[in-house]
């Protein structure tokens, strides 16, 4: 018997401005606040280049004038410090009723980390946690940044996994406020890997970790301004990426 809960999967067709994705998250959050028994939802996307600051993040971790940023800069209602988004980074925003998933924000963060660690294991890569910090590392380089927020246990924000993005934008910040550990991307270990390759595994691990069954939106569940993707990111991986990283 399948005990998983149905959840709506939204996959915009191209890189999304941060403000638009944030508005979508709030729209989905409001749905669940209005009806806590409504279906949960997941956004899977790439962002147009930008920086985001958590609610209590320090501008001391910016290597530019926040009044004149090199890219759009957003202070938002998640935990954590500053991070960078760009195409080639796979961003996962689960909008969940956390009362269905343990009602524990610390456990939720660890579960999101485990989603990434289990995905890396599929690629024969040993993802790691760092004691006292949130995220996932590989050989000392941070691959996944995680920052979440919740309102009456309805979550927003989530995780950003560097796949084959340009890392130059990280040079303008102290990523996540961590100066002693550089960022990395999956393509450094698995050359040629793309977001389209990684998406099926990431979604599959999310389904397993949170007992979800993802489905496309139905009539009346559409989000304003979101077109249908020409090709779903969830198509099976085109190739195997086993072996040792370089």
């Amino acid at each position: 018997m399948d005990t998983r809960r149905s959840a709506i999967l939204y996959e915009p067709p191209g890189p999304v401005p941060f403000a638009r994705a944030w508005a979508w998250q709030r729209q989905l959050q409001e749905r669940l606040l209005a009806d806590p028994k409504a279906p949960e939802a997941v956004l899977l996307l790439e962002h147009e280049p930008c920086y985001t600051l958590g609610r209590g993040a320090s501008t001391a971790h910016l290597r530019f004038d926040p009044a004149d940023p090199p890219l759009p800069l957003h202070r938002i209602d998640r935990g954590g410090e500053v991070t960078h988004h760009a195409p080639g980074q796979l961003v996962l925003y689960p909008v969940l009723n956390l009362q269905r998933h343990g009602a524990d924000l610390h456990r939720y963060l660890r579960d999101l980390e485990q989603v990434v660690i289990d995905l890396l294991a599929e690629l024969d890569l040993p993802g790691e946690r760092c004691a006292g910090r949130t995220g996932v590392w590989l050989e000392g380089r941070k691959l996944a940044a995680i920052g979440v927020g919740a309102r009456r246990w309805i979550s927003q924000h989530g995780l950003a996994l560097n796949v084959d993005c340009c890392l130059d934008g990280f040079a303008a910040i102290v990523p996540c406020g961590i100066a002693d550990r550089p960022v990395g991307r999956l393509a450094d270990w698995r050359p040629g890997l793309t977001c389209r390759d990684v998406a099926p595994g990431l979604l599959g691990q999310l389904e397993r970790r949170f007992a979800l069954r993802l489905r496309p939106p139905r009539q009346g569940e559409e989000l304003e301004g979101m077109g249908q993707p020409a090709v779903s990111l969830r198509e099976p991986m085109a190739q195997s990426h086993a072996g040792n990283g370089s």
Side-chain angles (χ1 to χ4, degrees):
M1 178 180 177
D2 190 349
T3 60
R4 296 176 298 168
R5 297 184 181 91
S6 174
I8 309 164
L9 174 62
Y10 296 93
E11 296 179 277
V16 177
F18 186 86
R20 180 175 297 172
W22 193 12
W24 286 337
Q25 290 178 74
R26 292 196 298 271
Q27 180 181 342
L28 293 169
Q29 189 182 53
E30 288 295 337
R31 281 186 190 173
L32 271 172
L33 287 168
D35 180 6
K37 296 181 180 179
E40 297 169 307
V42 173
L43 284 160
L44 181 70
L45 53 84
E46 298 172 59
H47 275 305
E48 293 181 358
C50 67
Y51 296 103
T52 66
L53 290 158
R55 67 177 75 84
S58 171
T59 56
H61 295 137
L62 305 179
R63 294 177 171 139
F64 55 80
D65 180 353
D68 186 25
L71 297 170
L73 176 66
H74 306 272
R75 186 175 288 277
I76 58 175
D77 55 346
R78 62 159 171 80
E81 292 289 338
V82 62
T83 196
H84 173 53
H85 297 296
Q89 180 192 76
L90 200 54
V91 182
L92 188 67
Y93 292 134
V95 182
L96 307 178
N97 182 346
L98 295 180
Q99 290 183 314
R100 304 177 189 175
H101 304 282
D104 183 331
L105 279 175
H106 293 288
R107 172 181 168 181
Y108 180 51
L109 290 169
R110 303 292 82 78
D111 281 342
L112 290 177
E113 290 171 345
Q114 195 63 46
V115 165
V116 177
I117 290 169
D118 291 345
L119 168 69
L120 294 179
E122 289 184 13
L123 301 169
D124 290 339
L125 294 171
E128 301 171 343
R129 292 183 172 90
C130 181
R133 294 171 171 171
T134 298
V136 178
W137 282 260
L138 178 58
E139 296 181 0
R141 292 182 174 268
K142 190 169 188 179
L143 292 190
I146 297 174
V148 303
R151 183 180 164 204
R152 295 190 347 236
W153 293 110
I154 308 302
S155 69
Q156 58 174 330
H157 308 297
L159 68 85
L161 175 64
N162 299 332
V163 179
D164 64 344
C165 53
C166 176
L167 299 178
D168 292 351
F170 287 99
I173 61 173
V174 180
C176 303
I178 302 172
D180 61 342
R181 290 195 173 219
V183 295
R185 57 184 183 173
L186 275 171
D188 294 334
W189 284 267
R190 297 291 181 266
L193 198 68
T194 67
C195 287
R196 185 175 167 186
D197 296 324
V198 173
L202 186 65
L203 291 170
Q205 293 299 343
L206 183 82
E207 285 182 313
R208 282 187 278 276
R209 179 62 40 183
F210 292 95
L212 301 175
R213 185 178 63 256
L214 297 174
R215 62 167 177 79
R218 297 169 182 160
Q219 187 173 4
E221 295 176 336
E222 300 86 356
L223 296 174
E224 184 177 355
M226 183 182 293
Q228 292 298 317
V231 178
S232 170
L233 286 173
R234 209 178 180 195
E235 289 189 348
M237 282 191 179
Q239 55 185 310
S240 171
H241 297 277
N244 293 325
S246 57

